[in-house]
Every structure is written in C-alpha cells, then in structure tokens.
Amino acid sequence: MQDDKNIETEINFKELVKSPSRLFGWIFPYYAVLFLIVGIYFIKHMDVTSFNSVPAIQTDSLTINVNVEPKKGGVLPAVDLKLILSPTNELIEKGKTLFKTNCASCHGDNGNGDGAAAAALNPKPRNFHQADGWTNGRNFSNIFSTLQKGVPNTGMIAYEFIPVEDRIAIIQFIRTFTDFPAVSDEEIASMDQTYGLSKGVISPSNIPIDVAEKKIEEENQQFISKVDSILAKVNLNSDAEVLNIFNNYVLDKKRVAEVFSRDFVQNKDAEIFISKIIVAPVANGFKPNIVELSKGELIKLYNVLSKSVS
Amino acid sequence: MSEKLYSYTALFNTPDEIIHAAKVITEKGYTKFDVNTPYPVHGMDNAMKLPPSKLGFVTLFAGLSGIILALGTMGWMMGIDYPNVIGGKPFFPLPAFIPITFEITVLLATLTTVSTLLFFFFKLPNNKHPLHDTNYIKNVSSDKYGICIEAIDPIFNEVQVKDLLNSLHAFVVEPVYFDKEELEYKPKITEPKFVALLVGVAIFVSISTYLHMNKLMYVTPFNWMEKQDKSIAQSPSKYFKNGSSMLKPVERSVARGFIPYQFKDKPDDAGKFLVNPLIPDNDNLALGKNKFNIYCSPCHGYLAEGDSRLRGQFPNPPSLHSEKVRNWSDGRIYHVIVEGQNVMPSYAYQLSREERWAVINYIRVLQRSLNAKESDL
C-alpha cells in the first residue's frame, strides 16, 4: 500500500530539477512536434531552403518550346583559299575556340584523344600527336574530307554543318599540335574542285517549325484527299479478278490508296512495289496472306493501282 | 397520448370468421392491413384482394442481367479483346458459353430474389417489429386467427377501426404501440456493443482462419508472399526435360502481329523497300514531335542540329540537316532508328513502329524548317 503514491505528488518539479534526465520524457513530445513543423516547413519551401544548385524540379523537356526565326537564305561569300596555305594567328585562335566546343569532348583539349566522352567510344578517338594509323590520311585535304563525311562505324560524325571557313580554322589549329605534311597548290585546287570552295556556300532559308509543319501537311493533303477518287477508279478500272484481289487481300483500303499514291510519285516500278508489299504488308494496308499471290497477279494489281492514281 | 400507435389488432376463433373479417375490411377500403394465421388459410388471397407479387420482376431483371453479363464478358474477351482460336471454333462459340451463361443467370436470379425478399420486403436490418412479444402474436402463432390494421393506412381512424373490429365479433381488440425505447433510440457508430462486435468478429475470423488453415489444412496462412508457387527465369525446374524454367521460343517462330525486321545490316535495301505508311497530318506530327523531344532531342537537339544537351559528356551527335540525311528516304532513317548507327543505340524497344514513322515525319518538318524552299518564304 505504501507504493500507491498520490498523483499530485508524482510531478514534483524540485525532484525534476535534481535529476534532469527525467526531463527528457517530457521534452521528447515537444521535440517531435518541433521536428514535424520544421520538416513540413522545409518540404514546403524546399526551393528556398535547400542549398542544391540543381532545382528540385527539373524542367520537362516536353514543355520547352523551341522555334525557328524566319530567315532569308543567300549565298555566303567565297572562302579565301589563301588561308589554307598561310593561316593567320586570328584564324588559329578561332580554330582553338571551335575545337574546344566541337571536338574537345572526345579528342581532348590537347588533341591526345583523351576527352571525357572518349571513354564510351570504340574505336577510341584519334590522337593528333600520333603520325600513323590515320583512317583517311593526314594531309590537309584528307582531314577536310573526314570533317565533310565523317568516318563510318566510329563516333566521328560528319561536320558538314560547320561553315567551310570554320572547318579550315579547326584544321589549322589541329596542324599546330605537331608536324603535318605541307599543303601543295595542287591539293588546294583539287579540294576546290571537289567541294566547290571558291564558289561560295549557299546558306539555307529558315521558316518557323509550325509553318513548315503546315506546308508539309498541305503538300501531303493531296494524297489523303485523293483516296476516295482512287478507290472509285480502282473499282472502275479493274476486271473481276483484280477486284477480287483488292477485296480479299486488302486490310485497309484507305491506307493502301494513301501509301501507294504517295509512293507512286517517287517510284514507278512494279518490281519495287511487289517487294514493298512483301516486306511489310500490314503496315501498308494489305493482309499478310497477300504474299501467297503470284507475281502476275501482283503486277495486275499494280497496274490497276497505278492507272487509278495517275 | 405519448405513445405512438402502430396498429389495431383483433383476434378471432375460427377461420371462417377471419375470412369474413378480411373481406369486410377490404371492402371498407383498407389497404395496409395483414392477416396472421397459424397455417395458410385457403381463399385468403381472394378475400384480401392481394395483387400478384412484384418479386417476379426482380427475378426477371436479375436473370436477364446474368445472361447479358455472362455472354457480354465472354464474348468481348474471346471475340474482341483477345481473339483466340480454340479448337478451330469461331471467336464467338455460343454453345460453349451456354453452361456458364445458364449458371450465372440462375445464380444471379436466385441470390437477387432472396436478398430482395430479405432486405426490401422484410426490411432485414430492422429486427425489432412492434408486434414482437405481444399477446396478439403469441395467440396467432398457436391457435387463433388475427387481423392487424396498421396506423399508416390512409383512411385509418382509431375510433372507426375499433368499432369496425368490434362489429366483426372479434373476441379481443387491442392497440399495439411502437416500443418507446426503440423510437427514442439513436444508433451510434461508436456504440460499445457494435465496436465490440467488430473486434470480436475480427479476432474470431483471424484466429479461426489461422487454426483452420494451419492446424487442419497444414497451410501457412500468410507468409507475406515470401514463398510463391512460380518459377523464376533463371531458377532450375523439374517440369521441363532440359531442367530450366525459362524456355526460348521455337526456332523461326514469330509472335502474332510481329514481323521481324528484314534489313539487318542492309541499310540501302531498307531505304529502298520500306515505305512510310503515315501521311503527315496533325495527329502523327504531334506524336512524332512528342517522341522526338523525349528520345532524340537529348542528343540531336530540339531542332535536330546536333546541339545536344549532353555535349561534353557524350560524343557529338550529327546534325540531321546535312545533305546526306535530307536526301535519305524515310526507310533509310527508319533503319537507323531500328538498328542504331555508330554511337547511337537501337531505339526499337523505346519506339513502336508507328512512333518511328511519326518521328521521321517530324524530322522532315524540322529539315523543311531549317532548309526552306524559296516558295515557303
């Protein structure tokens, strides 16, 4: 019975101060609430309170709206071919900047073939300091043609989209790494002959993407709008046999008419038509069992279709 | 009068009397009344002028629902959603559906009828009826015949009803009141009895399930899905002769609807023989744009200029505006998407066939945009 303490005397604050560890039992719930409040505040204001340099929410690549400013194209002035023989310092400086932005990720800043992206590549990118093993050779014209066409089956793509003068600048910068074969006048002449360097480069015109979309849609509208008349003509032109083929071996008449009329503009060849059907009958609107038809029957089908389209 | 009247009841000695009483009361125009007898009395339906039961309509409705449900689900699944040839039968093999349809029909009809009876006609959750435990119900369930006119009858008048019943020579006429406690009682969800019942049911169900399964059937009741009766791809299996649980498809077999890509390592043939089946229109250009921006733009850039967002961490991807790509046919570009090229991997698993062609259509738009014709300006 002595253990039955009065509840009033249970919380004795003087006792509490004497053994502070008991305070913890009371402080704990307050800390829990405090942590909760701080946590909620932190999550709600994450973009302000966190020290991350990367935003908590990444921009959705689908919401980015990129468009093209309309621009009239024209002919750029011809390239000064003297730059190939005797590069100016400015040109080499420009080549260095271009090399950094376009080439250094694979070839490395000093052209040792040790760029950051090189790890992923097989074969490894060219080390410009090495004299042997160049796929296209290391003459000026060879390097130029590599930039023009790329090297197939490697990470080296065609850099055709870089203006010619900039490409010359890049090559001139590469040639400062080590000794390269000297450039001869004939080499320049043959390069000029091959790539038309002195003629000047045509810079293309630009139009906004949605305009281009509309243009392409309009151009192809004819193939969609002509479908009904093509199908009507097929019925009119064909004898019983072809009509039978058309009704029994065609899955989607509309698609056949669309695809055929579009393709007929480029290819007027029965052989190719037959090969295309056999390659992907369903995608082109035919039933798979069309492959059972004989060549003669397919040619008849082609003739009726081409007659109906033209 | 603080008590709420439920009905007036009268007790009779003979079946003839009760038939007579029922006839008179029906003639007077009472509708909300009932006759209680120890056994079915012949001719009572006529005397009370009872209409035929409406329960049959419920049964009909449930039965028809059963037929439609069974035929509809089976027909939709086997004929439309996943057409499957089984034993050379048509996609809608009606004779095969008949047994299941019959069973579902009978099951639904009977269950619905019984539950309608219980819940709508007998008002099941209400298990306290005012007539319970009255002198009247004790008599009519032994040897007397009783009639009970409810207070909710539209022409009910206490004095008139009392007189009427007395005039029929009933030997006892007495009112029945609603249980006062019942009327004043307001059910609560936290009622200790109710909560205790729930807890009790939970405990009983779990313990009995455990005992039944573990002690009677020797089954682990719930093992958090640690043990599953399935074979994992790499695990051994006794079922097949070669001892492996994963089987490769039979050689040269082709999955339904999937034509293998025929132009592996033949890019030029792909360019020549593959036709883009999608004519560019709003829909497939939107699809192409969406897929291009997701799968292609990280490397090729939003305008396909090769200005990748991964530049510096990844070899430079080519621009798609070079003369070479512009002059490629759609099939040739398709080949690159399917097979990959140089550093670019195959996107055959990320993009469906239609999506690949749609992406190509969108690439054509971008090419047109950056290499516009004179007439476009």
Side-chain angles (χ1 to χ4, degrees):
Chain A
M1 280 297 158
Q2 279 182 334
D3 289 347
D4 276 351
K5 286 179 183 168
N6 190 347
I7 292 173
E8 297 300 324
T9 61
E10 181 74 10
I11 306 167
N12 188 337
F13 287 98
K14 280 177 189 167
E15 288 285 318
L16 213 66
V17 176
K18 275 180 195 166
S19 64
S21 65
R22 290 191 55 202
L23 266 173
F24 184 75
W26 288 97
I27 285 168
F28 182 73
Y30 295 106
Y31 267 108
V33 173
L34 207 65
F35 273 126
L36 202 68
I37 291 169
V38 171
I40 291 172
Y41 180 86
F42 179 75
I43 287 171
K44 287 225 168 183
H45 300 83
M46 190 118 91
D47 41 350
V48 191
T49 46
S50 79
F51 297 104
N52 284 345
S53 56
V54 179
I57 298 162
Q58 293 268 358
T59 330
D60 183 357
S61 61
L62 291 179
T63 58
I64 292 172
N65 202 2
V66 186
N67 215 335
V68 181
E69 287 292 314
K71 189 190 91 183
K72 180 108 177 71
V75 180
L76 293 178
V79 180
D80 185 4
L81 292 179
K82 279 176 204 156
L83 288 174
I84 299 176
L85 270 180
S86 49
T88 58
N89 280 340
E90 289 161 25
L91 188 75
I92 291 177
E93 209 47 44
K94 190 182 172 193
K96 191 176 178 181
T97 344
L98 285 166
F99 185 87
K100 280 241 162 87
T101 49
N102 288 301
C103 321
S105 66
C106 295
H107 290 287
D109 282 349
N110 296 316
N112 286 317
D114 56 356
L121 288 178
N122 181 27
K124 294 288 173 209
R126 162 86 15 241
N127 177 355
F128 295 119
H129 300 270
Q130 261 174 2
D132 53 335
W134 288 59
T135 315
N136 292 340
R138 54 202 289 265
N139 286 327
F140 194 99
S141 57
N142 297 142
I143 302 177
F144 190 88
S145 87
T146 301
L147 281 182
Q148 177 80 20
K149 293 173 188 160
V151 183
N153 302 324
T154 68
M156 181 68 195
I157 57 156
Y159 283 85
E160 185 200 2
F161 57 89
I162 300 181
V164 176
E165 203 180 286
D166 291 353
R167 270 183 268 162
I168 292 174
I170 291 173
I171 300 173
Q172 294 295 13
F173 174 68
I174 290 171
R175 284 167 71 86
T176 60
F177 287 137
T178 176
D179 286 335
F180 278 85
V183 194
S184 62
D185 283 329
E186 293 117 55
E187 201 182 336
I188 295 174
S190 83
M191 265 168 67
D192 189 14
Q193 182 96 40
T194 321
Y195 304 114
L197 301 184
S198 56
K199 275 185 210 153
V201 188
I202 297 162
S203 95
S205 313
N206 291 352
I207 52 172
I209 295 176
D210 42 341
V211 176
E213 207 174 307
K214 232 169 238 148
K215 295 270 174 198
I216 287 190
E217 270 177 43
E218 277 166 20
E219 278 169 21
N220 287 285
Q221 194 54 43
Q222 47 164 327
F223 302 120
I224 299 174
S225 56
K226 262 166 51 181
V227 164
D228 288 335
S229 74
I230 292 172
L231 290 178
K233 278 187 197 168
V234 166
N235 278 331
L236 204 73
N237 289 340
S238 42
D239 53 22
E241 189 195 351
V242 176
L243 207 60
N244 198 27
I245 293 176
F246 201 73
N247 288 331
N248 288 334
Y249 291 90
V250 169
L251 192 69
D252 185 346
K253 289 181 182 176
K254 235 174 101 179
R255 177 159 276 191
V256 168
E258 279 176 9
V259 171
F260 186 83
S261 61
R262 191 188 192 206
D263 197 48
F264 189 71
V265 176
Q266 296 158 359
N267 264 315
K268 301 186 178 176
D269 188 335
E271 294 282 332
I272 291 183
F273 168 77
I274 291 168
S275 322
K276 279 174 179 172
I277 284 182
I278 288 166
V279 160
V282 180
N284 295 331
F286 294 97
K287 286 182 186 168
N289 58 357
I290 197 161
V291 297
E292 294 164 1
L293 289 178
S294 73
K295 199 170 170 183
E297 286 169 316
L298 286 171
I299 287 176
K300 274 181 195 164
L301 180 65
Y302 172 82
N303 288 337
V304 167
L305 277 172
S306 56
K307 216 165 134 195
S308 312
V309 166
S310 50
Chain B
M1 204 179 85
S2 60
E3 283 187 309
K4 198 178 169 196
L5 186 68
Y6 169 70
S7 69
Y8 250 90
T9 59
L11 287 173
F12 297 91
N13 277 322
T14 62
D16 291 343
E17 275 176 336
I18 195 79
I19 291 257
H20 174 67
K23 273 182 186 163
V24 172
I25 287 168
T26 312
E27 272 164 27
K28 294 270 177 197
Y30 291 95
T31 48
K32 291 279 176 191
F33 73 96
D34 206 357
V35 173
N36 303 92
T37 54
Y39 56 85
V41 175
H42 281 282
M44 188 52 81
D45 291 5
N46 282 337
M48 288 172 77
K49 290 193 176 149
L50 287 180
S53 171
K54 292 191 176 65
L55 192 61
F57 291 109
V58 176
T59 314
L60 178 72
F61 175 76
L64 287 177
S65 311
I67 292 179
I68 294 166
L69 183 78
L71 285 183
T73 45
M74 286 188 290
W76 187 77
M77 277 185 264
M78 286 193 61
I80 298 162
D81 185 40
Y82 198 86
N84 221 340
V85 179
I86 297 173
K89 292 188 189 73
F91 287 139
F92 190 84
L94 185 64
F97 291 167
I98 294 296
I100 301 289
T101 311
F102 171 77
E103 279 162 23
I104 298 276
T105 307
V106 171
L107 183 79
L108 256 188
T110 45
L111 287 185
T112 316
T113 308
V114 169
S115 49
T116 311
L117 259 180
L118 290 176
F119 289 96
F120 283 89
F121 289 81
F122 301 160
K123 303 189 173 87
L124 179 69
N126 180 12
N127 57 5
K128 179 91 169 82
H129 196 274
L131 285 182
H132 280 179
D133 211 23
T134 57
N135 196 33
Y136 168 79
I137 208 76
K138 281 174 192 162
N139 274 308
V140 295
S141 51
S142 109
D143 61 347
K144 297 288 186 266
Y145 307 85
I147 200 154
C148 165
I149 304 177
E150 288 178 34
I152 53 167
D153 196 290
I155 54 168
F156 187 87
N157 180 302
E158 204 179 330
V159 185
Q160 278 176 12
V161 168
K162 203 172 165 184
D163 289 347
L164 176 67
L165 292 174
N166 277 325
S167 71
L168 290 166
H169 309 296
F171 73 89
V172 177
V173 175
E174 57 181 13
V176 174
Y177 295 99
F178 281 103
D179 190 3
K180 205 175 170 190
E181 222 175 278
E182 189 82 4
L183 279 181
E184 283 168 3
Y185 178 73
K186 287 192 180 62
K188 279 183 294 183
I189 196 94
T190 53
E191 189 77 23
K193 268 189 206 166
F194 177 67
V195 174
L197 175 78
L198 288 186
V199 174
V201 167
I203 292 171
F204 174 77
V205 167
S206 40
I207 290 180
S208 67
T209 311
Y210 174 79
L211 290 178
H212 270 86
M213 297 193 75
N214 209 9
K215 304 297 175 199
L216 290 179
M217 293 161 72
Y218 303 105
V219 182
T220 323
F222 197 72
N223 58 9
W224 305 104
M225 290 193 179
E226 275 167 359
K227 269 190 185 174
Q228 295 177 22
D229 286 335
K230 65 174 188 189
S231 45
I232 298 161
Q234 307 294 335
S235 65
S237 157
K238 287 176 191 164
Y239 191 80
F240 295 112
K241 268 185 190 166
N242 63 2
S244 78
S245 52
M246 182 171 63
L247 290 189
K248 284 181 186 166
V250 180
E251 234 175 273
R252 295 182 70 78
S253 61
V254 175
R256 207 165 203 252
F258 286 89
I259 308 160
Y261 185 68
Q262 297 104 315
F263 300 111
K264 200 167 165 41
D265 302 329
K266 286 185 231 155
D268 294 329
D269 285 358
K272 198 173 170 192
F273 295 122
L274 283 174
V275 195
N276 187 346
L278 299 185
I279 307 279
D281 61 21
N282 241 334
D283 290 344
N284 63 48
L285 283 179
L287 174 71
K289 181 178 185 176
N290 187 310
K291 297 292 165 188
F292 181 89
N293 284 348
I294 292 172
Y295 292 108
C296 317
S297 78
C299 289
H300 288 289
Y302 287 110
L303 298 176
E305 285 178 305
D307 51 344
S308 98
R309 301 200 283 286
L310 301 174
R311 190 160 266 207
Q313 311 155 35
F314 208 71
N316 290 355
S319 155
L320 300 182
H321 297 282
S322 63
E323 214 174 322
K324 181 177 77 171
V325 181
R326 269 186 285 139
N327 290 333
W328 271 0
S329 71
D330 286 1
R332 182 67 184 80
I333 302 179
Y334 186 88
H335 179 83
V336 175
I337 298 178
V338 175
E339 290 247 290
Q341 180 173 290
N342 300 346
V343 181
M344 173 176 164
S346 159
Y347 277 81
Y349 292 102
Q350 284 92 332
L351 296 168
S352 73
R353 287 166 176 73
E354 294 258 310
E355 285 164 357
R356 288 173 225 161
W357 291 119
V359 164
I360 292 167
N361 280 345
Y362 183 65
I363 290 174
R364 294 292 184 217
V365 167
L366 290 177
Q367 288 175 344
R368 182 66 166 270
S369 165
L370 290 185
N371 271 292
K373 291 179 185 171
E374 292 259 318
S375 57
D376 292 348
L377 290 165

